[in-house]
Structures are given as structure tokens and as C-alpha cells.
Amino acid sequence: MVKNKRLIALLVLVVFTFSLFFTFSTVNCEKVKAASNKVTLRFMWWGGEARHKATLAAIQAYMKKYPNVRINAEYGGIEGYMQKLITQLVGRTAPDIIQIDVTWIGELSAQGDFFADLKTFKEVNLKPFEEKFLKDWCYSNGKLIGLPTGVNASAIHYNKDFFKKFGIPENKTWTWEDILTTAEMVHKKDKNYYLLNFDATVCYYLLKTYVLQKKGGKWINDDYTMGFDRKTLIEAFTYIDKLFKVGAIQPFSESAPFQGKPEQNPKWLKGELGMLWNWTSTFAANKANIPSLSMTMIPIMKNAKSTAVTVRPSQLLAVNKLSKNPKEAAKFINWFLNDKQAALILKDVRGVPASSTAREALEKEKALDPVITQITSEALKRAAPPENALSQNQELEKIATDVIQQLAYKQLTPTQAADKLMALYKQKLAEIKRLQSR
């Protein structure tokens, strides 16, 4: 009997010891496994303060949900962003997750094969995205370069207080002639006020829009030829020249420090400039600075051959092909764009979400600005066909903005501006064709 009790006690001790050992080993294994799964990702984007704040909050929420992942944020303004990114990509030092603009895809792809194909990742759910939207904007050479952060539309931001001061109706459907006559009226009433907050880049948007509404087709054809004629281009430059002459646009000699960032112009922030041609995706950031801000559609000519209304992704989120953790990077992008928690944190800082899951989450909570929703909806109804890569080429844009600045400073007449742009375009397009044919 005593022997049996001793045997039972011994068995209990052995079982207890084994149990402690197994538990300790399991815990240690899990700790070792967790430690070995520690991941650090770099995420680079541009934007304004509202976007930065929301994105940083989303990153914190993700790291709390997935403690093994650390995400280092690299952010700033748009100025110099593309040049910095190209340097990093070529130098093989680019971040894991990269925000890019759709207009850069052609040029970045010509520099090299830098991005992972997101359609190959099981971590990414493509169902919430409209398939045609992805095909139109997010592919290059058969690869899904990135996923759209939002649906972005070209629009006019306007200051309601400015409109009230000068008796301009808010529900106005603008024409090109209305812009001229209203701008002239404003500047005659008060020389310190200008209807338009336009820099050379915005004037380039205007130039393209005016020409495309007149002629239709493409700004640059797929065969590396110009999609416009001299007569129409002279007419478009003449219109821009009239805007300067009637005092519609603040002289570039005064606004030059804010070229590429007109939303930072002090006269705009003080309410002395009335309208800014911009994007729906920047509305939240601009409204944070000007609470009386609203939006309307860009002018569209009667019997226009094209509306020239651009509706495209706000930006794309891409995965660096050289990332050491591409699956984790893809997993984060999927959460960032498709998760309901992420949607409620990010709201509309990148425009109306392109993911139906994110969009529905915001609609349910009434978290979308109704102005953004309305203008995006109107723009989608009137959207022009997607631009080809050549029409979005950054070198061609730089040529045009330089010519526009020379027009603004009275160094060129509208006819001379048109002739110079066409001559420089012909030369540059031949160079691009040669480089892309290699």
C-alpha cells in the first residue's frame, strides 16, 4: 500500500515536471518565433498636415494590431519627391512601401523594373476595387504597379467668403468667358484681390484642358506626335494671356515663391484669391486652412469634343520589388486601403476611397465630406478617357510651364509661346521615342 502511494506520488511529480517543462518550452518557442518574425518596413508618402496626421495615426493602429511589425514613416511635401524617389530606386535604397503618382508610371517604368506585381500577392484583396479603374490607371507592362488610395477628380476649390464679398453666386456653372468677365470685375473693384490662384503648373492644366475641349483626342499621341494644331494652341495661349491682362491671376513676380504649392500662398490663405484649380483629394487639407472652402466643376465648353475632366487615382501605393519583406508590405497596403478601422482613421485625406469596403464604412458613419462626394460623383459622370503615359510626361510638363512663365513675364506673345512649345515638344518627343525604343 505504501509502495503504491509512493509510486503514484512519483508519477504525479513526473507528469507535473513534464507539464512545466512543456509549457516553458512552448512559451520560449513562441517568444523566439515572435522575435524572429519582427519586421521593419519603411513607408514614404507626400501630402499636407491633415494627410500626415491621419496616416501616422493609421500606422500606429496597425502596429498595435500587429506588434511584430514596425513601420518607419518618411513623409513631406510633393516638391522634389519624384526626384528623390528616382534617386532612391536607382540607388537601391528606396522604402518598402511607396506612394507614387499615376502620371509617373511611364517614366519610372522606363528607368527600370522597380515595383512588385501586386496581383500576385494573396495578402491583397482586389475585389473591393473596380477592375476597369485598375486596368485604366494602375498597370504597366501587364504588372499591377500599385493600388489606388482614392478616386481623384480635377475641380475648382473656391472661397465662399470671397464669393460673398464680390457677389459671385456659388451655384454658378462656369464657362471660360465667365472666368474672364468675373475676374476683371473682381480686380477692378479691389486691386489687391484676384479671382484665380493659378501658378504655371495650374496654367498648364488650363492649357491642356482648353485644347482638349476644342480638339478632343490626346494631348500627345501614342506615336510620339502632338495631338493638337498650332491654331488651337495659339487660341489657348491667347486666353491665358487675357487672364493676366485683366488681372485674373496674381503676377508671377509676386507668387513665384509658391510655384508648385499655390495652396500655401498667403494671399490665398488670407482670402484675397478666390479660386484654385486643384484636386478633390487635397480638399480636406485646404479646407483645414480655409474653413469657408467649397468646390465646383471646371469650365466645359459648349459642344466640347472632350470634357477634359480628369478622374484618376489620388495616388498609388506600391511595393518596392527589392523589399526584404514584400508580403508584409503588401499586407499593410491591403489593411491600409481595405480595412474598416483604417478607413475611419484616414477618412477622405486622399479623396473618396477607391476601395468599396472603405467607402461603405465611411458612408455608414457619415464620415465623408458631402462636398467631396458630390463633386467626385459629378466628375465621374463627365470623366474624359484616361490619358496615355506620354500626355502625362513630366519633362513635357516642365517645358510647358517654362513657356507659360515666359508668357506671363511678357517675354513671349501667345503666337510665339505656341511656336516655341511646339518646337521644343518636337525635339523632346523625338528624344523620348529614341530612349524608349532601345
Side-chain angles (χ1 to χ4, degrees), residues 179-191:
I179 295 280
L180 268 175
T181 56
T182 304
E184 188 171 17
M185 176 273 293
V186 165
H187 198 57
K188 278 183 178 178
K189 281 190 174 181
D190 193 324
K191 296 296 183 186

Side-chain angles (χ1 to χ4, degrees), residues 47-54 75 285:
E49 285 305 313
R51 184 180 297 167
H52 297 333
K53 186 177 179 181
Y75 57 95

Side-chain angles (χ1 to χ4, degrees), residues 201-257:
T201 303
V202 176
C203 286
Y204 173 61
Y205 296 159
L206 187 159
L207 183 79
K208 285 175 69 177
T209 300
Y210 193 100
V211 168
L212 292 173
Q213 288 184 5
K214 274 276 184 181
K215 297 296 292 180
K218 297 180 175 71
W219 178 245
I220 304 296
N221 296 317
D222 293 331
D223 63 358
Y224 300 90
T225 61
M226 288 167 269
F228 49 84
D229 57 54
R230 180 174 181 267
K231 180 183 175 183
T232 307
L233 192 62
I234 291 173
E235 185 179 331
F237 272 120
T238 300
Y239 180 82
I240 294 173
D241 192 48
K242 286 179 181 177
L243 290 176
F244 285 111
K245 285 178 177 175
V246 302
I249 302 172
Q250 181 186 12
F252 280 5
S253 57
E254 297 176 11
S255 64

Side-chain angles (χ1 to χ4, degrees), residues 75-88:
Y75 57 95
I78 183 68
E79 193 174 4
Y81 182 99
M82 183 184 178
Q83 291 71 25
K84 177 183 176 182
L85 174 59
I86 289 174
T87 301
Q88 289 180 327

Side-chain angles (χ1 to χ4, degrees), residues 50-59 148-152 280-285 314-315 335-370 372-373 376:
R51 184 180 297 167
H52 297 333
K53 186 177 179 181
T55 305
L56 290 169
I59 288 172
T149 60
V151 179
N152 203 12
T280 53
S281 65
T282 63
F283 182 70
S314 304
Q315 306 89 22
W335 178 88
F336 193 82
L337 300 179
N338 285 328
D339 188 86
K340 293 177 182 178
Q341 181 192 12
L344 292 172
I345 295 171
L346 295 165
K347 295 181 180 175
D348 53 18
V349 295
R350 288 177 173 83
V352 176
S355 162
S356 59
T357 306
R359 194 164 58 246
E360 287 162 10
L362 293 180
E363 287 169 350
K364 185 179 178 181
E365 297 296 324
K366 294 182 171 53
L368 277 176
D369 189 315
I372 297 179
T373 304
T376 303

Side-chain angles (χ1 to χ4, degrees), residues 38-42 59 63 66-72:
K38 287 282 186 184
V39 171
T40 298
L41 300 172
R42 293 164 58 206
I59 288 172
M63 292 193 297
Y66 300 101
N68 65 306
V69 178
R70 177 176 177 79
I71 299 174
N72 293 329

Side-chain angles (χ1 to χ4, degrees), residues 173 297-298 300 307-309 311 377-384:
T173 300
M297 294 294 294
I298 66 170
I300 299 176
T307 63
V309 173
V311 179
S377 177
E378 287 184 32
L380 283 165
K381 292 173 188 173
R382 305 183 196 182

